[in-house]
């Protein structure tokens, strides 16, 4: 039976990857300049508005509201720029994924790429807490795990999967008809440098594991145990995957909230388990993956 995505009780709703203002833009040099512009304007607006209310100054109130309006307008403009740039970048990844799938399906070869296999219900549901330095200070924020994994792998090659182009900010998506997905996956697995797979109890994921097992591709496969998510019960989904995969010969370890990358031997048993870094961020994740990718 297809496992249902379960939200953690009391957990926040899934973050919108397109409209989140806590973005790469603000972490860039240009973004820091924007913050230096916005913060003083916003501060002036708040000070004038509060002081005008205290002293009854209409002029101060007008100045305060104007400053607040300007800062709000700038934020909306910035958000539009962020959304446009993010969608454009994802569209480029989707186009590259479609080109790779087309050439591989036609019997051609392609440079190094990483294949992403996962239960579709995890898309946009695996928000985790990441730690990174911003302006010399540590900062924690929520980020979708697929997005983080894509960022870590991007310097080494495209991170691609099958799905609906534009559905998420992460791996490049290539569309495929339901009647042809297994043939496409076979070819993509055969030519991939490394296969990353998130276990699940769905029929599609079980078929993918069986194919990896019987075709002797487990040695090039990294099983991903996602860390604890803010709004999805990963532990329950992992337990259901354990039960569903046991008849296939794949023996998954028990779930850990920290998460891990697992290499399986040819008999389907864990050969090596590398726990996720304590400071979950792009750089630390890349270092952990460097030890696993062959």
């Amino acid at each position: 039976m297809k496992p249902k995505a379960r939200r953690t009780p009391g957990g926040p709703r899934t973050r919108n990857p397109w409209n989140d203002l806590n973005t790469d833009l603000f972490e860039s040099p240009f973004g820091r300049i924007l913050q230096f512009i916005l913060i003083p304007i916003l501060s002036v607006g708040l000070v004038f508005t509060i002081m005008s209310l205290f002293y009854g100054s209409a002029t101060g109130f007008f100045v305060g509201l104007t400053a607040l309006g300007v800062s709000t307008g700038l934020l909306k403009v910035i958000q539009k720029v962020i959304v446009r740039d993010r969608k454009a970048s994802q569209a480029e990844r989707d186009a590259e994924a479609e080109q790779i799938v087309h050439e591989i399906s036609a019997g051609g070869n392609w440079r190094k790429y990483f294949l992403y296999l996962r239960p579709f219900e995890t898309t946009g549901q695996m928000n985790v807490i990441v730690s990174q330095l911003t302006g010399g200070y540590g900062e924690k924020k929520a980020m979708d795990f697929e997005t983080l994994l894509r960022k870590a792998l991007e310097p080494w090659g495209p991170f691609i999967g099958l799905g609906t182009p534009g559905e998420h900010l992460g791996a490049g998506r290539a569309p495929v008809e339901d009647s042809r997905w297994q043939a496409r996956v076979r070819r993509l697995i055969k030519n991939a440098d490394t296969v990353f797979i998130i276990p699940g109890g769905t029929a599609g994921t079980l078929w993918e594991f069986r194919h990896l097992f019987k075709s002797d591709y487990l040695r090039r496969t990294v099983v991903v145990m996602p860390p604890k998510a803010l709004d999805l019960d990963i532990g329950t989904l992992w337990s259901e995957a354990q039960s569903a995969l046991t008849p296939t010969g794949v023996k998954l370890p028990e779930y850990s909230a920290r998460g891990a990358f697992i290499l399986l031997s040819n008999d389907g048993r864990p050969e090596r388990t590398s726990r996720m870094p304590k400071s979950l961020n792009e750089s630390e994740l890349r270092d952990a993956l460097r030890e696993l990718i062959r």
Side-chain angles (χ1 to χ4, degrees):
M1 181 180 293
K2 179 179 179 180
K4 296 181 180 179
R6 296 171 176 78
R7 291 190 180 279
T8 301
R13 292 187 177 185
T14 302
R15 300 170 70 90
N16 187 322
W18 307 117
N19 298 324
D20 182 8
L21 277 174
N22 189 8
T23 65
D24 298 334
L25 178 61
F26 282 129
E27 294 161 10
S28 67
F30 177 65
R32 295 191 187 103
I33 293 174
L34 287 175
Q35 290 184 72
F36 278 116
I37 296 174
L38 281 172
I39 292 174
I41 296 176
L42 181 60
S43 299
V44 168
L46 289 173
V47 169
F48 270 84
T49 301
I50 294 172
M51 294 300 291
S52 65
L53 291 175
F54 185 76
Y55 290 105
S57 171
T59 302
F61 188 69
F62 175 77
V63 171
L65 287 182
T66 300
L68 290 174
V70 169
S71 59
T72 301
L74 283 174
L75 278 173
K76 289 183 178 180
V77 170
I78 292 170
Q79 186 176 36
K80 288 182 179 180
V81 172
I82 291 169
V83 172
R84 183 198 65 192
D85 290 349
R86 284 186 160 202
K87 288 187 174 181
S89 297
Q90 185 61 41
E92 290 178 1
R93 288 190 289 270
D94 292 341
E96 184 177 37
E98 189 168 0
Q99 184 181 2
I100 292 172
V101 171
H102 175 74
E103 295 197 11
I104 294 298
S105 299
N109 294 317
W110 192 268
R111 58 188 172 85
K112 183 176 184 178
Y113 68 88
F114 305 103
L115 180 62
Y116 181 49
L117 303 176
R118 80 286 180 198
F120 287 146
E121 63 264 30
T122 62
T123 298
Q125 299 291 319
M126 296 188 296
N127 291 307
V128 298
I129 297 298
V130 299
S131 303
Q132 55 192 85
L133 291 176
T134 301
Y137 297 95
E139 178 187 359
K140 293 185 180 295
K141 67 177 186 177
M143 180 184 292
D144 185 81
F145 182 72
E146 179 189 331
T147 304
L148 181 64
L149 185 58
R150 187 265 303 169
K151 287 186 172 187
L153 290 168
E154 202 163 41
W156 299 331
F159 186 46
I160 71 167
L162 300 178
T164 303
E167 70 179 353
H168 191 54
L169 183 66
R173 300 290 205 270
V176 64
E177 301 88 348
D178 289 343
S179 60
R180 302 179 64 184
W181 76 270
Q182 290 184 346
R184 291 281 172 87
V185 169
R186 286 192 190 98
R187 285 189 176 272
L188 289 171
I189 287 175
K190 181 179 179 181
N191 290 275
D193 184 83
T194 305
V195 177
F196 289 86
I197 184 167
I198 295 179
T202 63
T205 304
L206 292 175
W207 178 88
E208 289 164 348
F209 262 105
R210 289 192 190 99
H211 178 68
L212 289 165
F213 201 176
K214 71 179 183 181
S215 302
D216 198 28
Y217 291 131
L218 285 179
R219 303 290 294 182
R220 290 193 288 110
T221 298
V222 175
V223 179
V224 180
M225 177 190 290
K228 181 180 179 181
L230 296 177
D231 44 14
L232 182 67
D233 189 348
I234 299 291
T236 298
L237 292 181
W238 184 269
S239 296
E240 291 176 346
Q242 275 185 307
S243 300
L245 288 169
T246 296
T248 72
V250 175
K251 308 294 183 182
L252 296 178
E254 293 301 314
Y255 180 74
S256 168
R258 180 170 165 179
F261 294 115
I262 304 160
L263 296 180
L264 300 176
S265 61
N266 287 332
D267 65 0
R269 297 179 181 277
E271 182 177 271
R272 180 180 174 186
T273 299
S274 178
R275 298 180 71 187
M276 295 282 177
K278 289 183 178 180
S279 295
L280 193 60
N281 57 53
E282 177 184 341
S283 176
E284 295 289 339
L285 197 64
R286 187 178 300 121
D287 288 342
L289 289 168
R290 200 188 309 272
E291 302 297 322
L292 300 176
I293 296 176
R294 303 168 182 178

